Amino acid sequence: PHRSVNPDELPRPSGFSHAVIASPGRTIYLGGQAAHDRDGKLVGEGIVEQFDVACSNVVTALASAGARPEHLVSMMIYVTDGNAYRARLTELGHVYQEHFGKHYPAIALFEVTSLFDPDAKVELVCTAVAPD
């Protein structure tokens, strides 16, 4: 498995790792996953609902490439409202664990003015390394 590295000199991480040392394997780069269904329709109005669908889409994309959630080494979370994201951290954490368990890759949160779909509130961009 990949190894999380969280130096004592940095703040204690909660819900992410400061660094991940990937085990050997195939690197998989996922395109941005928002809350779209297979027909391209955006699902959910709130950030928690959209995050749930986006996480599900990540798991589906991983599976199609022969990988699982525990193979994630990096996740970039793009949101259009950072304050709304932070206000719902507990709920978002539960949703995260439903899809990815207690595996925490290196994660960063970015607030952006908009996403490709102007009604999307969240988009996930991930990298995984799956064993050969």
Side-chain angles (χ1 to χ4, degrees):
H2 306 309
R3 184 167 65 98
S4 294
V5 179
N6 295 301
D8 291 335
E9 297 81 10
L10 295 176
R12 184 174 173 269
S14 178
F16 70 98
S17 294
H18 284 291
V20 175
I21 299 171
S23 298
R26 296 173 292 110
T27 302
I28 302 162
Y29 301 93
L30 300 182
Q33 299 298 316
H36 294 98
D37 64 16
R38 68 178 295 144
D39 296 321
K41 180 182 174 207
L42 191 67
V43 178
E45 292 185 23
I47 193 161
V48 174
E49 298 83 7
Q50 287 193 15
F51 185 72
D52 186 30
V53 176
C55 288
S56 178
N57 290 345
V58 166
V59 172
T60 298
L62 285 170
S64 72
R68 296 189 307 269
E70 62 266 25
H71 298 143
L72 287 170
V73 295
S74 175
M75 178 183 289
M76 292 178 279
I77 304 171
Y78 294 90
V79 298
T80 56
D81 186 342
N83 288 332
Y85 185 91
R86 286 185 288 278
R88 308 291 293 272
L89 274 179
T90 299
E91 293 168 86
L92 291 163
H94 292 301
V95 169
Y96 178 93
Q97 287 185 4
E98 287 174 17
H99 294 280
F100 306 115
K102 293 192 180 213
H103 170 71
Y104 298 107
I107 296 176
L109 175 70
F110 302 92
E111 182 177 29
V112 296
T113 55
S114 67
L115 297 164
F116 183 78
D117 182 327
D119 294 322
K121 298 181 181 326
V122 62
E123 187 165 330
L124 307 177
V125 178
C126 303
T127 304
V129 178
D132 288 325

